[in-house]
Amino acid sequence: MVSAVFHTPRPLESSHAASAPAAHAHTPTAPATQAVKLAPSPQGPRWDVSAWPPQVVPPLLGLLLLIGLWHLAASGGEGQFPTPGATWSAALELFADPFFVNGPNDVGIGWQVLNSLERVGLGFGLAALVGIPLGFLIGRSVFAGRMCAPLISLFKPVSPLAWLPIGLLVFQGTEPAAIWTIFICSIWPMIINTAVGVQRVPQDYLNVARVLNLSEWTILTKILLPAVLPYVLTGVRLAVGTAWLVIVAAEMLTGGVGIGFWIWDEWNNLNITHIIVAIFVIGLVGLLLEWALVRIARAFTFEEVKS
């Protein structure tokens, strides 16, 4: 009896002792397995869908509000102003064949936009060739800056269309006069922004260049140009926006081929739906130009300038 009482728990103790090491043996592996399962994937989703509603919903609401107000204004009138549905139908008809040619003055809206972009490109390119080097000169030379400052202050506020008669008088042609108007309205933002960028280059950079006895060309290419490039691209972006605004008005006055002339021709034909379509096309092209130049500017802008 006594031996039975003292010997019975020993197998139980031994069983607990045997099972305890086994449990302790498996305990370290459990957190490791759980850590592997809970570890985040190194490659997350490329597109954050949760961020779409704050970015997509407000623009859509703005467009719906515009279309609603437009529909109310067109329905409440005497039928002279086209509705959004009629404008959409006219747009589908225009863009079904945007590059047709039925004569010198009867071409599709695609050719009209391309002709306007060609004039903008020529005038803007000439303005960049003159304005950016002149901005570097004004920002680098105190004497040149003081000499050009009153001229810039005098001519910059002048409306670009005021220069159109001067272009017609000098060049004796509507095409070069329109390019001249684009040139004169595009040059001021590039001159001013480039000069401001050169003047804001840290003086320590230029002091080091003097100590190293660097040439003016080396200072321009290795120090000034990388530091001033964001300012130059900002001036280019402003100049392109101004040029695209001016070319429409210039083509209305000069005639020929272009989206501005096309709008004026449609007004003479009392085709209001085509005019509204052209307004949206002008805005869309300007938006694409702005977007492309902003992307280029961000690619060449330093982090401290972005912030």
Side-chain angles (χ1 to χ4, degrees):
M1 292 286 297
V2 176
S3 62
V5 172
F6 284 98
H7 286 283
T8 358
R10 287 179 185 175
L12 296 175
E13 292 176 0
S14 62
S15 63
H16 283 295
S19 61
H24 288 296
H26 290 285
T27 303
T29 60
T33 308
Q34 187 177 5
V36 173
K37 292 180 180 179
L38 296 179
S41 176
Q43 295 181 353
R46 297 182 61 182
W47 303 101
D48 190 6
V49 182
S50 62
W52 287 6
Q55 299 178 359
V56 176
V57 173
L60 289 179
L61 290 178
L63 289 176
L64 291 176
L65 179 62
L66 173 64
I67 294 174
L69 294 176
W70 179 6
H71 181 74
L72 290 176
S75 302
E78 298 178 356
Q80 297 181 355
F81 200 79
T83 61
T87 306
W88 177 255
S89 301
L92 293 179
E93 182 181 353
L94 284 173
F95 287 101
D97 187 13
F99 294 101
F100 72 88
V101 178
N102 292 332
N105 293 325
D106 187 14
V107 296
I109 189 172
W111 291 118
Q112 308 285 359
V113 174
L114 289 180
N115 278 277
S116 298
L117 286 174
E118 181 182 2
R119 293 190 182 99
V120 169
L122 289 174
F124 172 79
L126 293 174
L129 290 177
V130 176
I132 294 177
L134 186 57
F136 272 98
L137 177 62
I138 293 173
R140 191 81 175 106
S141 172
V142 178
F143 178 80
R146 292 176 179 174
M147 182 179 65
C148 296
L151 299 178
I152 295 175
S153 301
L154 177 64
F155 293 124
K156 181 179 175 294
V158 177
S159 172
L161 294 181
W163 296 97
L164 184 60
I166 305 299
L168 292 172
L169 175 65
V170 173
F171 300 105
Q172 298 294 321
T174 58
E175 186 75 16
I179 296 174
W180 154 257
T181 307
I182 297 302
F183 167 82
I184 202 65
C185 77
S186 303
I187 195 171
W188 309 121
M190 286 187 280
I191 291 176
I192 295 172
N193 282 273
T194 304
V196 169
V198 173
Q199 292 170 356
R200 290 187 178 180
V201 173
Q203 190 62 34
D204 294 339
Y205 296 171
L206 303 178
N207 293 336
V208 172
R210 292 191 187 96
V211 171
L212 297 177
N213 198 18
L214 298 179
S215 64
E216 190 67 25
W217 176 254
T218 305
I219 295 174
L220 176 64
T221 56
K222 300 298 183 181
I223 298 177
L224 293 180
L225 186 59
V228 178
L229 190 57
Y231 295 92
V232 174
L233 292 175
T234 301
V236 167
R237 181 166 58 89
L238 295 175
V240 167
T242 305
W244 185 243
L245 287 173
V246 171
I247 189 60
V248 177
E251 288 174 346
M252 285 184 179
L253 297 177
T254 58
V257 181
I259 190 66
F261 168 75
W262 190 76
I263 290 176
W264 188 252
D265 189 52
E266 294 301 319
W267 166 250
N268 292 328
N269 296 327
L270 297 179
N271 198 340
I272 309 300
T273 54
H274 287 183
I275 295 176
I276 297 177
V277 172
I279 290 173
F280 280 101
V281 170
I282 292 170
L284 182 60
V285 173
L287 181 64
L288 292 176
L289 290 175
E290 180 80 9
W291 177 83
L293 290 173
V294 166
R295 298 285 294 183
I296 295 173
R298 287 180 179 176
F300 290 96
T301 301
F302 300 110
E303 293 298 329
E304 58 268 18
V305 178
K306 290 180 183 179
S307 60

